[in-house]
Amino acid sequence: MASFRLSSQAHAPKKDTRSSTPLETFSNICLILINRQVAQPSGGSKMNVQAEPGMAALAAIKANYSLTPEQRQIVDHVDRVAREILHPLQEKMDAEEWWPEDLFRQMGELGLLGITAPEELGGSGQNEFTQALVSETISKWNPAVGLSHGAHDNLCLNNILRNGSDEQVRKYVPGLCSGELVGALGLTEPGAGSDALGSMATGAVRDGNDYVINGSKIYITNGPIADVILVYAKTDKAKGAKGISAFIVETDNPGFKVAQKLDKMGFRGSPTGELVFEDCRVPASAMIGAENSGVSVVMSGLDLERAMVASVCVGMAERALELALDYARIREQFGKPIASFQMVQSKLAEIYIEVETARAFGYRALAACVGLPKGAGGRGEIHKLTAAACLYAGEAFNKAVTEACHIHGGSGYMQDTEINRLYRANKLLEIGAGTSEVRKIIIAEELLRA
């Protein structure tokens, strides 16, 4: 299979013939209104508002919502690949909890991995916004692949790229970009969910030039198939959350094992497992950053993860809308398509609103994530914004897929239908990356701190 990288070199310039999105149309209308705006002072005289400041302000707004020509080309490529290659795998992956053995290598060959990695390391050299567009598009056509792709490309690869040493980056990133290595992240534990840092029991003790890790992690996406896992462990339990360190653990290390592969309600093709570390010895060079500095890696990574989860929600909600539209057009009752009934039309309109508002909020958060400095995040505006976008998108997808499933009637209740697979998957997106309640706590704390 031919190699393809999502980079500027991979795309010949071409005229953008796609029609404007609703957000772009809205922005253009706003531009007209701003340029026509006239203020009315109390004295009755007219004061013309200069057009240039208005246009500059709106250009900044549009930059948050409009895709560049290169991003459009990337989305077109990923959409075609996901529709033609990944979508046909969806039914078997769900029914059998099956993950194709060579799928990560295939994704590497197709340029779907290493989106944020530099081209000299085998990546595409794109930013986090573009990475989210790729994740959104993959998730639309195969949610299970989208989930595993995000754990690999964002939670593992991008975290190593942002926080690892030059030696660590050179050692692991090329293999993660090609799909020769499969990545995962190990944070959640049997006794540490929403309080992942404070309740963390997994520990790492220094022993000469090594650290010895003991503990377990659970609900780890890609855990059963991973080659490289970014693992968090307490190196100073007396310091609590400030005594956590991050390690790159190779799964062929003695003392590491997959305790079990977990049976999920949704995203069933994406392998999820419980991992156990029993005197698992790793070299001190496997630590990311300094000892006890893992909390900054965790928190900045969670902010980016929440922005990515918002995009996953948008992609899946968009697919739910497409399925609902298709079904409403072909399903006939009382001698006519159900799409002709106003109650069904109302549901379709509401789904569309959920999709587009979640997209707008998600893009706003993603724009803020671009260029996030190393160690930044976990506090302030970006912490609040990504939590809010993730919260809104998760709830919007829940509403959208529930209405879409309802439009399908009895067929939507059958497990072998695509809309049912989307419906079963949606709950995770209000739990993973921090529950809806945790997201609200973050928002409120940052508002009150300001």
Side-chain angles (χ1 to χ4, degrees), residues 341-354:
F341 299 124
Q342 287 184 337
M343 284 189 177
V344 173
Q345 292 173 3
S346 175
K347 290 183 183 296
L348 293 170
E350 289 168 359
I351 296 171
Y352 171 78
I353 291 168
E354 298 293 353

Side-chain angles (χ1 to χ4, degrees), residues 245-283:
S245 300
F247 297 90
I248 302 173
V249 177
E250 299 177 13
T251 58
D252 59 359
N253 277 14
F256 170 86
K257 68 177 181 181
V258 178
Q260 60 175 323
K261 180 183 175 183
L262 300 170
D263 184 5
K264 304 190 300 297
M265 177 171 72
F267 293 101
R268 288 172 54 80
S270 173
T272 304
E274 179 182 8
L275 313 179
V276 174
F277 304 84
E278 295 179 344
D279 293 330
C280 181
R281 186 174 291 271
V282 298

Side-chain angles (χ1 to χ4, degrees), residues 215-345:
S216 63
K217 302 292 179 178
I218 201 165
Y219 311 135
I220 306 305
T221 302
N222 294 346
I225 62 171
D227 301 293
V228 177
I229 304 177
L230 181 58
V231 176
Y232 295 98
K234 283 188 175 176
T235 41
D236 189 341
K237 294 188 177 182
K239 292 183 178 180
K242 294 183 179 180
I244 291 172
S245 300
F247 297 90
I248 302 173
V249 177
E250 299 177 13
T251 58
D252 59 359
N253 277 14
F256 170 86
K257 68 177 181 181
V258 178
Q260 60 175 323
K261 180 183 175 183
L262 300 170
D263 184 5
K264 304 190 300 297
M265 177 171 72
F267 293 101
R268 288 172 54 80
S270 173
T272 304
E274 179 182 8
L275 313 179
V276 174
F277 304 84
E278 295 179 344
D279 293 330
C280 181
R281 186 174 291 271
V282 298
S285 60
M287 178 181 287
I288 291 184
E291 187 175 82
N292 301 328
S293 67
V295 67
S296 65
V297 181
V298 173
M299 298 310 292
S300 64
L302 280 173
D303 284 343
L304 290 172
E305 180 184 3
R306 291 187 181 111
M308 297 293 164
V309 167
S311 291
V312 169
C313 292
V314 170
M316 294 172 69
E318 187 174 55
R319 182 58 181 161
L321 175 59
E322 290 179 355
L323 292 170
L325 282 168
D326 290 344
Y327 189 82
R329 289 186 178 114
I330 64 172
R331 173 64 170 171
E332 291 191 2
Q333 289 292 280
F334 305 100
K336 63 179 72 173
I338 64 173
S340 65
F341 299 124
Q342 287 184 337
M343 284 189 177
V344 173
Q345 292 173 3

Side-chain angles (χ1 to χ4, degrees), residues 353-375:
I353 291 168
E354 298 293 353
V355 173
E356 291 302 329
T357 52
R359 192 194 310 277
F361 204 165
Y363 283 10
R364 164 77 174 88
L366 286 165
C369 288
V370 174
L372 188 68
K374 179 179 179 179

